[in-house]
Amino acid sequence: MKTNLSLTFVIGFLMFAFSHTTAQAQILNTKSDIINTHGTPFCSGISENGDPYLYYKYPVTTKSSGTFDQRKVLFFKENENGEEICYKWKILEPASETKYNMFSFSRDLVQTDEMQWKDFGKSIIYDMEEKNGVCRITARYDNEVSLVKTYKM
């Protein structure tokens, strides 16, 4: 029994760790690359502001929440070549995952606000919000060059 519980925890942790890694990699990928990698989405459409999106549901099992469907929405903008590029995604999961998400972000990223982290190497900003029993994570590409420093000799 103890071995099964340990194995379940390890598998859940690995799925969690790899879900953030693959999620980071989706920013700046083309829509066709994402579909080729992750398969046919649960649905797709156009958002209220006119951006195309893909909506995926992934079954996830964690120690804190058990088994649930993690929902991910990826948003796209068209580049100068006419390709649709992912510039933002949102993940929705149970609020019981908030603590683990905060730990993961704080370990790997720079905290810039109470519920915001930034990956300066990849220029991705992560915002987290817990509301009505749902943890919502939004990742977006930050194309602002706010930290450029000029050094004079």
Side-chain angles (χ1 to χ4, degrees):
M1 176 67 180
K2 187 175 180 181
T3 304
N4 289 341
L5 184 59
S6 297
L7 182 61
T8 302
F9 177 73
V10 169
I11 291 171
F13 178 77
L14 289 173
M15 287 177 65
F16 171 76
F18 288 119
S19 72
H20 286 294
T21 303
T22 57
Q24 290 173 359
Q26 292 166 346
I27 299 283
L28 298 183
N29 277 352
T30 65
K31 189 175 187 178
S32 59
D33 285 343
I34 291 170
I35 292 172
N36 287 338
T37 302
H38 299 283
T40 304
F42 180 72
C43 72
S44 61
I46 305 293
S47 67
E48 290 177 2
N49 67 353
D51 292 336
Y53 69 86
L54 298 176
Y55 174 67
Y56 286 92
K57 288 190 331 184
Y58 299 106
V60 176
T61 302
T62 65
K63 183 178 179 182
S64 59
S65 302
T67 301
F68 62 92
D69 282 333
Q70 181 187 69
R71 291 147 171 34
K72 181 185 285 182
V73 183
L74 299 100
F75 298 90
F76 299 87
K77 292 221 182 265
E78 197 170 290
N79 68 9
E80 60 276 357
N81 299 334
E83 294 178 303
E84 292 179 306
I85 304 294
C86 179
Y87 76 97
K88 176 173 77 172
W89 55 251
K90 293 183 182 214
I91 290 178
L92 303 171
E93 52 192 15
S96 52
E97 297 299 311
T98 302
K99 180 174 84 172
Y100 298 102
N101 290 327
M102 289 178 73
F103 173 75
S104 176
F105 287 157
S106 296
R107 183 188 66 218
D108 298 331
L109 307 170
V110 177
Q111 190 162 1
T112 56
D113 204 348
E114 184 177 347
M115 297 290 275
Q116 184 180 75
W117 295 262
K118 183 167 182 178
D119 182 336
F120 285 94
K122 296 178 182 169
S123 295
I124 299 174
I125 296 174
Y126 299 88
D127 292 297
M128 189 179 327
E129 178 184 26
E130 183 181 324
K131 191 174 184 181
N132 298 329
V134 175
C135 176
R136 180 176 63 191
I137 301 168
T138 303
R140 59 188 160 82
Y141 180 67
D142 180 24
N143 58 359
E144 180 181 323
V145 186
S146 61
L147 295 176
V148 175
K149 296 181 181 179
T150 304
Y151 293 96
K152 296 183 180 180
M153 300 185 99

